[in-house]
Amino acid sequence: MAMLRFFLGFFLFGGSSLNLICTSHGLPNNHVHAALFVFGDSLFDPGNNNYFNTTARANFYPYGETFFKHPTGRFSDGRLIPDFTAEYAKLPLIPPYLQPGNHQYTYGVNFASAGAGALTETALGYVIDLKTQLSYFKKVEKLLRQKLGDADAKAFFSKAVYLINFGANDYISFLTTNSTVTQFSKEKYVGMVIGNVTDTIKEIYRKGGRKFGFLNLGDLGCAPARKVLVPGNTRACFEQATELAKLHNAALSKALQELETKLVEFKYAKHDINISFSERRNNPEKYGFKEADIACCGSGPYRGINSCGGKRGVTEYELCSDPTEYLYFDSSHPSDKANKQISELMWSGAPNLTGPYNLKALFEE
């Protein structure tokens, strides 16, 4: 049960087939839109996990109820950051790669998988890990290159934006499971995670990618799912998780700065979700929330037990009447309202929160 709870905890802080209007070469008319390709975990997964045998799913009530009016596989009551990003970029919803019948990729595609890590060992067998997500992208790249020809493909992939988010599940795994990779020091382990992310960026760059968007990690220890691990219900955060997130954020910043100096035309937007989410957790009323410690859906202290929907071993759960009042929808994931606020900051936020570019600047280049 402990292992099952981890696989279902995929915490980041703490569609339909496309109908395209295309030219004879398959690109959108006048090449107006940059495509969006998404790699990540449950913060970004629009439902890929619906299409293979895993317990890491959110395709049941009450997920999806406030916006889509039905569950889609997204770990929220509504939309995720890639959904808002697509809207702001005037793109359709970017569909999950594994969705049957989705064979058009000229607006991009989403490879993210709830529970996934940068390390293959994280939730092995339950998720689409980063290495596999990259292999899917390479298949799409090859298909589009054959379809468009080398010149148009080069323009297409250099204009596209690549959203990437990994790390949280690797660090929760480090703290909650016993495997060969978790025997390393914290610093060594963080280096392995960042190394895999960096290698992926380089591979996408080799295929023509130039514009990237990232989140760092929020305070992993302060999600309801982590706070429930601290004895005494004191509202204290789980400090071991917080420490790993800090190490990750410092290493990610350093790695991106190094890539910027080494890779010609490499541009990126990194949003400091550690700051933006902490501000909302510490001052919920300022941002329109009534509750930032307790999840809308779940059970136990802080509703931090991952029982939302009653299909993960614990059948009983509590559900709030208005998710818009809550920072967290379930024990580990933001509400639609919180995702929207973070997405707005990623899209057009100032350099102190999103830099050196924001996503709007990348899409408009």
Side-chain angles (χ1 to χ4, degrees):
M1 277 302 294
M3 186 67 72
L4 177 63
R5 282 196 297 271
F6 158 63
F7 289 143
L8 294 170
F10 354 101
F11 170 59
L12 241 315
F13 332 103
S16 61
S17 297
L18 298 178
N19 295 314
L20 302 177
I21 302 173
C22 299
T23 68
S24 59
H25 295 291
L27 284 172
N29 282 343
N30 301 321
H31 298 207
V32 169
H33 296 296
L36 177 61
F37 292 95
V38 183
F39 305 77
D41 50 25
S42 54
L43 194 66
F44 285 2
D45 180 5
N48 276 306
N49 284 20
N50 296 346
Y51 301 109
F52 63 94
N53 187 22
T54 179
T55 50
R57 289 181 176 172
N59 58 342
F60 46 83
Y61 176 87
Y63 290 102
E65 286 301 302
T66 60
F67 181 78
F68 297 100
K69 308 303 180 185
H70 62 87
T72 63
R74 290 167 172 84
F75 278 79
S76 181
D77 58 299
R79 293 156 291 184
L80 305 180
I81 288 169
D83 300 320
F84 289 108
T85 302
E87 176 187 337
Y88 303 154
K90 297 181 171 56
L91 298 172
L93 283 177
I94 305 301
Y97 174 74
L98 294 182
Q99 180 174 282
N102 175 44
H103 304 299
Q104 298 278 6
Y105 302 116
T106 45
Y107 285 117
V109 70
N110 189 323
F111 306 104
S113 171
L119 303 179
T120 302
E121 295 84 359
T122 298
L124 183 64
Y126 288 79
V127 301
I128 310 166
D129 62 88
L130 174 55
K131 183 178 180 180
T132 305
Q133 291 183 35
L134 179 61
S135 74
Y136 290 162
F137 169 72
K138 288 180 177 179
K139 290 180 181 179
V140 171
E141 185 270 339
K142 183 178 180 181
L143 185 153
L144 285 174
R145 193 167 294 278
Q146 292 171 346
K147 179 179 178 181
L148 302 174
D150 285 341
D152 278 353
K154 181 180 180 181
F156 174 78
F157 287 111
S158 66
K159 189 175 179 64
V161 173
Y162 304 84
L163 277 186
I164 300 175
N165 186 78
F166 285 94
N169 294 305
D170 299 296
Y171 302 128
I172 301 305
S173 176
F174 182 85
L175 296 172
T176 59
T177 63
N178 186 19
S179 70
T180 305
V181 294
T182 59
Q183 304 308 310
F184 294 106
S185 70
K186 292 177 181 178
E187 290 77 10
K188 174 72 172 176
Y189 191 80
V190 169
M192 292 164 61
V193 171
I194 296 298
N196 281 11
V197 172
T198 302
D199 288 346
T200 299
I201 295 167
K202 290 177 179 177
E203 282 295 309
I204 296 170
Y205 181 88
R206 289 188 190 102
K207 297 297 182 181
R210 295 295 183 267
K211 300 185 289 186
F212 295 80
F214 304 94
L215 289 172
N216 67 5
L217 293 182
D219 194 333
L220 287 180
C222 293
R226 304 284 80 79
K227 292 172 77 168
V228 77
L229 301 176
V230 181
N233 298 340
T234 62
R235 294 185 178 262
C237 298
F238 186 45
E239 290 302 325
Q240 290 171 289
T242 296
E243 181 184 353
L244 282 166
K246 288 179 179 177
L247 290 170
H248 172 93
N249 290 348
L252 178 63
S253 292
K254 182 179 178 182
L256 293 176
Q257 289 165 7
E258 289 177 355
L259 287 173
E260 189 177 27
T261 64
K262 293 176 181 177
L263 302 180
V264 177
E265 297 180 340
F266 173 79
K267 296 180 175 68
Y268 69 94
K270 178 176 67 69
H271 176 65
D272 193 339
I273 199 167
N274 184 48
I275 292 177
S276 58
F277 218 73
S278 294
E279 286 179 350
R280 284 154 179 78
R281 196 173 56 249
N282 295 330
N283 303 286
E285 295 84 2
K286 179 180 176 181
Y287 297 97
F289 299 102
K290 291 185 178 179
E291 182 55 69
D293 285 318
I294 301 170
C296 168
C297 186
S299 56
Y302 321 109
R303 294 186 184 135
I305 295 173
N306 189 35
S307 59
C308 186
K311 297 189 184 245
R312 303 189 183 113
V314 179
T315 57
E316 294 184 2
Y317 66 96
E318 299 172 351
L319 179 64
C320 71
S321 60
D322 185 0
T324 66
E325 296 180 348
Y326 286 73
L327 187 63
Y328 293 94
F329 178 66
D330 71 5
S331 62
S332 294
H333 302 96
S335 62
D336 176 278
K337 181 176 177 177
N339 278 327
K340 182 177 183 180
Q341 291 185 8
I342 300 304
S343 300
E344 289 170 347
L345 292 171
M346 290 185 72
W347 180 255
S348 57
N352 63 317
L353 282 178
T354 305
Y357 295 83
N358 56 35
L359 290 179
K360 184 174 187 286
L362 294 183
F363 271 97
E364 289 179 349
E365 275 214 346

